[in-house]
């Protein structure tokens, strides 16, 4: 499979494409800084719901998930400074509802100890600075 976007999300060792979404709602992911091993765990929805101007009903459309690199300011700064090619993006799991996506993100944050784990250098192992804030 060839991805139609830069630095594709990898899921089960393959690039994840729009055609793979099916009836899924969102995913839990890990972004890894390839130069120092620091990571970020988060979640992203495949869909966005907007009410067009002058309309009453919401319209469902694909979100910006292909371009997404997390919401963490520190991570975004490192990506800007170092370049996207120095970060890998991995989908850990795909979910059918927002509730299951949110639950799994929180579960992964606790499983990996994102607030307490350190790198061998002594610095934080994760960019995550909070859980459920």
């Amino acid at each position: 499979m060839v991805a139609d976007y830069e630095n594709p999300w990898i899921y089960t060792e393959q690039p994840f494409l729009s055609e793979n979404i099916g009836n899924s709602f969102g995913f839990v992911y890990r972004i890894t800084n390839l130069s120092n091993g620091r990571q970020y765990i988060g979640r992203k929805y495949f869909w966005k719901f907007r009410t067009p101007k002058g309309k009453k009903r919401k319209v469902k459309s694909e979100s910006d998930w292909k371009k997404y690199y997390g919401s963490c300011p520190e991570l975004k700064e490192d990506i800007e400074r170092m370049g996207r090619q120095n970060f890998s993006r991995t989908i850990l799991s795909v979910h059918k509802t927002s509730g299951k996506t949110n639950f799994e993100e929180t579960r992964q944050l606790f499983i990996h100890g994102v607030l307490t784990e350190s790198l061998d250098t002594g610095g934080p192992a994760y960019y995550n600075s909070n859980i459920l804030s």
Side-chain angles (χ1 to χ4, degrees), residues 114-133:
V114 300
L115 301 180
T116 57
E117 291 298 312
S118 298
L119 295 171
D120 293 339
T121 61
Y126 291 87
Y127 286 94
N128 301 78
S129 60
N130 64 71
I131 297 175
L132 294 173
S133 73

Side-chain angles (χ1 to χ4, degrees), residues 101-113:
T101 306
N102 297 344
F103 174 82
E104 185 58 22
E105 176 198 20
T106 303
R107 193 174 85 86
Q108 290 296 325
L109 294 171
F110 281 107
I111 286 171
H112 292 285

Side-chain angles (χ1 to χ4, degrees), residues 5 7-11 14-16 27 29 65 68 89-91:
Y5 61 101
N7 195 11
W9 290 102
I10 302 300
Y11 182 57
Q14 296 288 320
F16 196 89
F27 61 97
Y29 64 86
W65 68 271
Y68 192 71
R89 302 190 299 168
T90 305
I91 294 177

Side-chain angles (χ1 to χ4, degrees), residues 72-104:
C72 172
E74 187 180 5
L75 171 62
K76 287 181 185 180
E77 287 171 15
D78 278 359
I79 291 168
E80 183 70 29
R81 187 171 46 82
M82 302 168 77
R84 292 178 176 167
Q85 71 279 4
N86 290 306
F87 292 81
S88 67
R89 302 190 299 168
T90 305
I91 294 177
L92 302 174
S93 56
V94 177
H95 304 278
K96 302 228 180 278
T97 68
S98 61
K100 288 180 179 178
T101 306
N102 297 344
F103 174 82
E104 185 58 22

Side-chain angles (χ1 to χ4, degrees), residues 23-88:
N23 61 354
S24 299
F25 192 86
F27 61 97
V28 176
Y29 64 86
R30 175 186 0 220
I31 296 176
T32 304
N33 181 327
L34 300 174
S35 67
N36 62 17
R38 197 166 176 201
Q39 301 174 55
Y40 180 77
I41 293 176
R43 60 125 169 96
K44 181 67 177 164
Y45 300 142
F46 291 118
W47 307 105
K48 63 181 177 181
F49 299 89
R50 300 281 183 260
T51 306
K53 201 168 193 163
K55 303 284 183 180
K56 292 185 180 189
R57 289 189 162 211
K58 290 187 184 249
V59 175
K60 176 181 172 183
S61 60
E62 200 169 319
S63 73
D64 65 346
W65 68 271
K66 291 179 183 177
K67 298 178 184 177
Y68 192 71
Y69 278 83
S71 60
C72 172
E74 187 180 5
L75 171 62
K76 287 181 185 180
E77 287 171 15
D78 278 359
I79 291 168
E80 183 70 29
R81 187 171 46 82
M82 302 168 77
R84 292 178 176 167
Q85 71 279 4
N86 290 306
F87 292 81
S88 67

